[in-house]
Amino acid sequence: MDLKNKFKQMIQRQGSGRSLLSSPSDTEGKILSPETTVQKTNKVISNDDSEVSVNDPQQDQEVLDSIEQVYYSDDMFDATKHELERLPEVLELQQIHVDRSRLRRQLQIVNKKISNVILENHSSYEVELQRVMQLESQLQAAHHVCLYSRGLLHEAKGNFTTASLGILANYRKKQQLVGIMRSLHTIKTLQRTDVRLSELLEEEDYPGAIQLCLECQKAAATFKHYRCISELNSKLQDTLEQIEEQLDVALSKTCQHFDYSHYCKVQAAYTLLGKTQTAMDQLHMHYASVIHNVAFTIVLGYVELCAGGTDTNFQKRQYQDLCKHITQDTFTPCLVDLCKALWEVIRSYYQTMSWHEEHDRENCDSTDGVLAGSVEVNLNRRYIKQKLEYGLLRVWQDVQQKVRAYVQAIDLSAFKFDNFIKVVDYITRLMHVGEEFCGSQSEALQESINKQSVNYFRNYHRTRMDELHLFLENEGWELCPVKTSFTILQLQEFKFLRNSPLLHSRTSKTQDEETSQSRDSSPTKQKAASDGGSFFLRYLHGGNPFNVETEEDGTEDIMETDSFECSYSLDQNESSSDDDIADELKQDYIDEIAGTSPGKWRASLKHSSRRASWKAVVGLPPLVTNTTLTVLRLFGKYIQMMDVLRSIAFDVTICMSQLFDFYLYAVYTFFASGMSEVNERTMSNKLRTTLRRITDNLILSENDDNANGHQVASPGRRDKVPHPHISPIVDLMNEHKLYGLAERVVAAESLVYLAKQFEFLQPCLESMIPVQKKAFLQQFYSQTVSTAAELRKPVYRIVAAHAVDYENIHQQMTAVKWEIKEIMSQHNAYVDIILREFQVFSMRLAEISKRVPIPKEAYNVLWEHCIRLASRTFVEGYSTDSCFH
């Protein structure tokens, strides 16, 4: 490698770039002919290697083909370096000599080839050389012409052009100054746009302000080369950003109070900015923010009101934590205000959607038959429509979460029933709004209120059952003096049903006339109408479905002011002496037994008392007690719960049936359970089955009470009520009062009246419970409610059995000697005894009817029992041995 480097340095020092054909000193300033060039080349080659032959073309071509392609690759190729790099590490003189000969041979052939090419193109070379010489002479001529022309142009400039160009220059300056004046006027106008923009913003003319600002920006872009305009342009950009901020504030205002014209301006402004999609995104963010702020502000106001300024850190608390500080007294007013405010937000969103739908229809109508806008416009319209549709559920979920958090923050079990009904009513109404708004069933809110309602109603029903047990045990079974025209719809608890079409078709004309005046002012009219109509149609342009209406006077006009008059009682002038009417009574009795109607109504005590009792039913008020009215009021409250919360309607219906069951069981226990086995046979199988079911499912037996006395009550036991006991003030053993007949009539007939009212409410109950649960209600009516009238027989049978001394009559019949020796002209003594017993019973019945009206049905049952028992006594008396003989 050292030897190669030395060769390379020696070649560089000798001038490796020197041409093989000639030196620069030989060719400088001369143009060599082709013959001369060829001769010199051949001479050099001959000097280098005299042994090389130059006349064999075939060998020359082989040598040319042997040259490596790298020699033709680049003009900057260094052949010397290439050959030196190819030398091996160990140099051999013989090999170097061979390579040197090869390279010389190749160089010779290449030079020879070049010389031949030069000789072949010699004629063309001469022609081109002549053209070059001719071009040189032409260029010299052109140079002289240019010199002459410049002299003439200099002379023309001095004589003619300077003056004319001066005029043109002055004119051009004038035009520039005019343009500058116009620009200055425009700049002056731009400087004054701030005042106009402020005026437009104060007028809330956002489209006008944006249009003016954009025009100013366009004009400023034209004059941006002025320094003042560059500053003005940045100022206009700041102003435009400020307008967008105010526009965003204006957009947020539509979330609570939608104004048609205001929203049109806002949308037009965003259209000018080209940010309609951004505006829709911002609008939904504002709705979420407004819902939170409104709920938080309302709850915070009530919390601070309750706190009385003692704590000022409520604003830093979370909404859920804030709701826990609401007291029971302020819960309902706060809920009303919360629902009102959220309704305004929901209605604003609904109006926003209506505006866009109307706007799209107008655009479609205006472009009818023409391609409806550009692709971008259609995409924006589709985007806005989808965004609004998706936002429906999002807005409602936000509203639902706020109300749900508010309801869950307090325990509603301590609320009074009326307040609880109002709370449930407002929440149910809000859920109806949500269903109409976006089709949502409000599962989360419904689950929350259902859970609270079930817990509340279980406790409430348990308390009411205990109260009913207490009322029945302290009930004196005195007649409650209600008016003749009394109906349950006159009770305050039933006023929400006065305009119900289900009950309206079942009421009489007189009842309709009496309740028609109160229907218009019913506080549930709004809710009833809203259930059948659209909230957004009724309250779209004003009003609020959650407005608290002034309730009508809660005074009930159902009590009879006049004392009960015995207008149906017997004639006091009639003689009750047995001596005066014994013969007539006997004849009357014989006529009735014979099946012949008496031709004339005599002054018989028995007959007159029967007529008086039948007529007493006509125009008389319902036979009810205070406990009966209490149960009816509970019916009304329970139906209110069913009406506002249909999801637990069936559970409430079961509780209503328990109220009726316990009342029926108490009447049976007090007035019919002391019958003998013979009298129990008078009850139907359906009545016995009903009583057995009530005893097993509702009545807490003494064994259960003793077994569970020190244990936690099971769910089944918690639903049971202790066995009722009649009040000590009720005397059922007084013979002169027919063993408590007045109390028995009031109890039995009040139960029948209660059953009739339950039947009257059947359509309303069926409309509220699920369809699959109606079978239970129909079974209850057919097996339990219908048995109320059947309880008359066991209740009145005890009176009929004890009022007449059938045992004495049987003994008298047994003492009669039945040997027929002669025909007697007078009947036996037992006949007078039984007639006298019936006479006394009739007199006592008439006396009791002065205090308590006895309905025809009760009157018939009493005399039916007397006749049956008398017939039974006769059969037993005639069946003795003496009679057979």
Side-chain angles (χ1 to χ4, degrees):
M1 289 301 295
D2 295 338
L3 182 60
K4 288 193 290 184
N5 292 332
K6 290 180 179 180
F7 275 123
K8 189 182 296 183
Q9 293 175 1
M10 181 180 67
I11 293 173
Q12 289 177 354
R13 285 198 300 269
Q14 292 178 356
S16 59
R18 186 176 55 189
S19 176
L20 294 175
L21 296 179
S22 61
S23 62
S25 60
D26 296 335
T27 58
E28 184 177 357
K30 298 179 181 180
I31 300 177
L32 300 178
S33 64
E35 294 83 356
T36 307
T37 304
V38 173
Q39 292 175 359
K40 289 185 176 183
T41 302
N42 291 334
K43 183 179 179 181
V44 173
I45 296 172
S46 298
N47 294 333
D48 293 334
D49 191 1
S50 59
E51 297 178 359
V52 178
S53 176
V54 294
N55 296 324
D56 190 355
Q58 184 176 0
Q59 292 182 355
D60 294 346
Q61 185 63 37
E62 291 177 356
V63 173
L64 287 174
D65 294 338
S66 66
I67 299 174
E68 296 179 6
Q69 292 295 327
V70 69
Y71 286 92
Y72 305 105
S73 62
D74 190 4
D75 293 340
M76 302 301 294
F77 175 69
D78 190 353
T80 304
K81 181 180 180 181
H82 175 69
E83 291 298 332
L84 290 175
E85 290 177 348
R86 290 181 58 186
L87 293 175
E89 294 292 335
V90 180
L91 299 176
E92 295 181 3
L93 182 62
Q94 184 67 29
Q95 183 65 33
I96 294 173
H97 181 72
V98 172
D99 292 340
R100 175 175 171 273
S101 299
R102 177 179 55 79
L103 292 174
R104 284 184 178 182
R105 176 62 177 169
Q106 290 177 352
L107 177 61
Q108 179 185 2
I109 298 302
V110 170
N111 290 336
K112 182 179 178 181
K113 187 69 173 179
I114 293 173
S115 300
N116 292 336
V117 173
I118 292 173
L119 290 175
E120 290 175 1
N121 295 284
H122 178 68
S123 59
S124 299
Y125 170 76
E126 290 180 349
V127 173
E128 291 297 327
L129 185 59
Q130 292 295 329
R131 291 178 61 187
V132 170
M133 295 176 65
Q134 185 181 359
L135 179 61
E136 183 180 0
S137 61
Q138 290 176 358
L139 289 175
Q140 291 178 357
H143 177 69
H144 291 295
V145 171
C146 289
L147 292 177
Y148 180 72
S149 299
R150 286 183 177 180
L152 294 177
L153 287 174
H154 182 71
E155 184 179 358
K157 178 181 178 182
N159 296 331
F160 304 103
T161 308
T162 304
S164 300
L165 292 178
I167 295 173
L168 292 176
N170 292 332
Y171 182 77
R172 193 175 101 177
K173 289 181 180 179
K174 177 183 176 182
Q175 293 298 109
Q176 290 177 347
L177 291 174
V178 171
I180 292 174
M181 289 294 295
R182 292 173 182 167
S183 300
L184 291 175
H185 283 295
T186 305
I187 293 171
K188 184 178 180 180
T189 304
L190 292 176
Q191 294 289 347
R192 295 178 179 177
T193 53
D194 293 343
V195 179
R196 180 57 183 163
L197 285 174
S198 300
E199 294 176 355
L200 292 175
L201 291 177
E202 290 178 359
E203 297 172 1
E204 295 185 349
D205 186 6
Y206 302 105
I210 292 176
Q211 183 68 32
L212 178 59
C213 191
L214 293 177
E215 291 177 355
C216 291
Q217 281 188 330
K218 185 178 180 180
T222 306
F223 305 104
K224 62 181 179 180
H225 50 281
Y226 297 109
R227 182 180 301 175
C228 60
I229 291 300
S230 62
E231 297 177 356
L232 178 63
N233 195 14
S234 61
K235 185 177 180 180
L236 288 174
Q237 185 64 32
D238 295 339
T239 304
L240 184 61
E241 293 177 358
Q242 182 181 0
I243 293 174
E244 291 184 11
E245 293 178 358
Q246 294 189 16
L247 187 61
D248 188 65
V249 174
L251 182 65
S252 65
K253 292 180 180 179
T254 62
C255 297
Q256 270 186 286
H257 304 287
F258 183 86
D259 183 78
Y260 186 87
S261 59
H262 179 75
Y263 192 74
C264 289
K265 293 179 181 179
V266 173
Q267 284 298 320
Y270 275 111
T271 303
L272 290 174
L273 292 173
K275 297 182 178 180
T276 53
Q277 295 185 6
T278 305
M280 192 52 56
D281 296 337
Q282 287 294 115
L283 181 64
H284 284 82
M285 293 176 61
H286 286 314
Y287 268 104
S289 177
V290 165
I291 291 172
H292 173 74
N293 293 337
V294 164
F296 187 86
T297 302
I298 292 175
V299 175
L300 177 63
Y302 278 92
V303 170
E304 291 179 344
L305 181 64
C306 297
T310 57
D311 192 351
T312 59
N313 295 325
F314 289 117
Q315 295 182 355
K316 299 180 181 179
R317 303 196 179 189
Q318 296 293 329
Y319 175 77
Q320 289 79 3
D321 186 29
L322 201 63
C323 293
K324 297 179 181 179
H325 292 80
I326 292 292
T327 61
Q328 181 176 339
D329 296 334
T330 59
F331 181 83
T332 303
C334 183
L335 177 63
V336 172
D337 291 342
L338 183 61
C339 291
K340 286 181 180 180
L342 294 177
W343 160 256
E344 295 294 337
V345 177
I346 295 173
R347 180 173 64 180
S348 297
Y349 193 90
Y350 182 87
Q351 290 175 321
T352 302
M353 288 195 64
S354 301
W355 185 93
H356 283 281
E357 291 175 357
E358 181 181 356
H359 185 68
D360 292 343
R361 285 195 298 268
E362 291 177 355
N363 290 339
C364 292
D365 295 339
S366 61
T367 57
D368 190 14
V370 185
L371 184 61
S374 63
V375 177
E376 184 179 358
V377 174
N378 291 332
L379 289 176
N380 285 338
R381 187 181 305 168
R382 190 179 300 111
Y383 177 85
I384 291 173
K385 182 178 180 181
Q386 293 178 354
K387 193 72 175 180
L388 287 172
E389 290 176 353
Y390 295 154
L392 280 172
L393 189 59
R394 177 183 173 184
V395 170
W396 174 245
Q397 289 296 336
D398 292 341
V399 172
Q400 183 182 186
Q401 291 299 326
K402 295 302 179 184
V403 179
R404 181 190 180 192
Y406 180 78
V407 173
Q408 289 181 337
I410 193 170
D411 184 12
L412 300 177
S413 60
F415 277 45
K416 294 181 179 179
F417 184 83
D418 293 338
N419 292 334
F420 182 79
I421 286 294
K422 290 180 180 179
V423 171
V424 177
D425 182 31
Y426 288 130
I427 296 176
T428 304
R429 200 176 306 181
L430 184 64
M431 290 191 291
H432 290 328
V433 170
E435 183 177 2
E436 183 181 348
F437 180 64
C438 61
S440 173
Q441 298 299 323
S442 307
E443 291 82 1
L445 183 58
Q446 191 170 3
E447 180 184 358
S448 176
I449 192 62
N450 284 354
K451 184 177 180 181
Q452 293 248 35
S453 299
V454 169
N455 294 334
Y456 178 87
F457 191 75
R458 285 178 179 175
N459 297 330
Y460 181 81
H461 176 65
R462 179 68 227 181
T463 305
R464 299 290 83 76
M465 289 295 291
D466 293 339
E467 289 182 356
L468 180 59
H469 177 268
L470 180 63
F471 290 163
L472 289 172
E473 288 191 338
N474 291 276
E475 177 63 57
W477 302 105
E478 296 289 338
L479 182 65
C480 183
V482 296
K483 288 186 176 182
T484 306
S485 59
F486 168 72
T487 64
I488 60 173
L489 296 180
Q490 295 174 354
L491 297 175
Q492 288 294 318
E493 289 76 10
F494 286 93
K495 63 182 179 180
F496 72 101
L497 289 177
R498 291 172 186 172
N499 57 342
S500 173
L502 297 173
L503 300 182
H504 182 70
S505 60
R506 298 171 66 93
T507 55
S508 63
K509 181 178 180 181
T510 303
Q511 293 172 344
D512 290 342
E513 292 176 355
E514 291 176 355
T515 59
S516 60
Q517 296 179 354
S518 61
R519 287 176 183 168
D520 295 337
S521 58
S522 175
T524 58
K525 178 181 178 182
Q526 180 179 355
K527 178 181 181 298
S530 63
D531 289 341
S534 171
F535 286 101
F536 294 100
L537 292 180
R538 298 182 68 243
Y539 303 105
L540 184 61
H541 301 293
N544 197 302
F546 301 97
N547 284 333
V548 180
E549 298 183 354
T550 304
E551 296 185 358
E552 59 185 9
D553 188 7
T555 304
E556 296 173 340
D557 188 15
I558 61 175
M559 295 298 178
E560 183 66 62
T561 57
D562 297 334
S563 60
F564 180 73
E565 299 292 343
C566 54
S567 58
Y568 48 85
S569 61
L570 296 175
D571 186 0
Q572 300 299 320
N573 294 326
E574 292 186 14
S575 175
S576 59
S577 173
D578 183 41
D579 298 337
D580 296 337
I581 64 172
D583 295 338
E584 295 177 351
L585 184 60
K586 180 182 72 172
Q587 185 62 38
D588 231 3
Y589 180 76
I590 294 174
D591 290 341
E592 289 185 18
I593 295 300
T596 60
S597 59
K600 50 186 177 178
W601 294 94
R602 301 174 186 145
S604 170
L605 181 61
K606 176 180 178 181
H607 226 71
S608 61
S609 62
R610 290 184 62 183
R611 293 183 64 206
S613 297
W614 290 357
K615 293 181 180 180
V617 179
V618 180
L620 287 179
L623 298 180
V624 295
T625 65
N626 290 326
T627 306
T628 310
L629 293 179
T630 300
V631 175
L632 289 175
R633 294 182 190 277
L634 291 177
F635 282 177
K637 291 181 178 181
Y638 283 24
I639 295 177
Q640 286 184 49
M641 176 65 75
M642 297 170 63
D643 186 38
V644 298
L645 201 60
R646 298 295 177 92
S647 58
I648 65 170
F650 180 69
D651 297 331
V652 179
T653 304
I654 295 177
C655 295
M656 289 182 63
S657 67
Q658 291 178 356
L659 292 174
F660 184 83
D661 287 344
F662 190 62
Y663 193 93
L664 184 147
Y665 183 81
V667 173
Y668 164 76
T669 303
F670 294 166
F671 302 104
S673 61
M675 297 185 306
S676 63
E677 183 179 355
V678 176
N679 290 335
E680 285 187 0
R681 294 174 185 173
T682 60
M683 292 192 305
S684 64
N685 292 331
K686 183 166 63 173
L687 179 58
R688 283 198 294 269
T689 302
T690 299
L691 293 172
R692 190 180 304 112
R693 176 186 62 81
I694 297 174
T695 304
D696 296 338
N697 299 335
L698 190 61
I699 305 304
L700 184 64
S701 64
E702 294 182 358
N703 294 332
D704 294 339
D705 195 11
N706 294 332
N708 299 325
H710 301 287
Q711 300 177 4
V712 179
S714 61
R717 185 175 177 273
R718 283 200 303 266
D719 295 336
K720 293 186 177 182
V721 187
H723 183 83
H725 301 280
I726 192 170
S727 174
I729 64 174
V730 180
D731 187 6
L732 300 181
M733 306 304 296
N734 192 331
E735 179 182 0
H736 299 286
K737 294 183 179 181
L738 289 180
Y739 305 94
L741 177 61
E743 290 81 1
R744 295 176 186 273
V745 169
V746 172
E749 300 308 319
S750 65
L751 176 63
V752 173
Y753 180 79
L754 192 63
K756 291 180 180 179
Q757 302 312 306
F758 216 133
E759 293 176 352
F760 174 72
L761 296 172
Q762 182 177 0
C764 182
L765 298 178
E766 290 181 348
S767 66
M768 295 179 180
I769 64 176
V771 178
Q772 61 272 18
K773 301 294 184 179
K774 289 184 179 180
F776 166 81
L777 188 63
Q778 294 173 356
Q779 182 181 8
F780 176 76
Y781 274 100
S782 61
Q783 296 185 2
T784 303
V785 179
S786 60
T787 60
E790 298 180 9
L791 201 60
R792 284 187 177 121
K793 290 184 179 181
V795 170
Y796 295 146
R797 185 181 179 87
I798 297 179
V799 177
H802 291 84
V804 179
D805 191 0
Y806 298 103
E807 185 66 26
N808 183 32
I809 296 173
H810 181 266
Q811 293 177 0
Q812 292 293 332
M813 292 179 66
T814 305
V816 174
K817 297 180 180 180
W818 297 101
E819 294 84 359
I820 302 177
K821 295 180 179 180
E822 60 181 4
I823 298 176
M824 301 293 294
S825 60
Q826 193 173 1
H827 52 258
N828 291 319
Y830 70 85
V831 176
D832 292 333
I833 294 175
I834 194 170
L835 289 177
R836 181 60 182 174
E837 292 286 345
F838 282 162
Q839 176 187 352
V840 173
F841 176 71
S842 178
M843 294 171 59
R844 290 173 179 172
L845 195 63
E847 187 66 24
I848 292 174
S849 65
K850 296 179 182 179
R851 185 163 58 92
V852 175
I854 302 177
K856 180 180 179 180
E857 294 82 357
Y859 184 87
N860 291 337
V861 170
L862 283 169
W863 283 108
E864 179 183 355
H865 281 315
C866 289
I867 293 172
R868 287 180 180 274
L869 291 172
S871 301
R872 182 190 180 99
T873 303
F874 288 153
V875 171
E876 291 178 353
Y878 293 146
S879 63
T880 58
D881 294 339
S882 60
C883 290
F884 282 110
H885 292 297

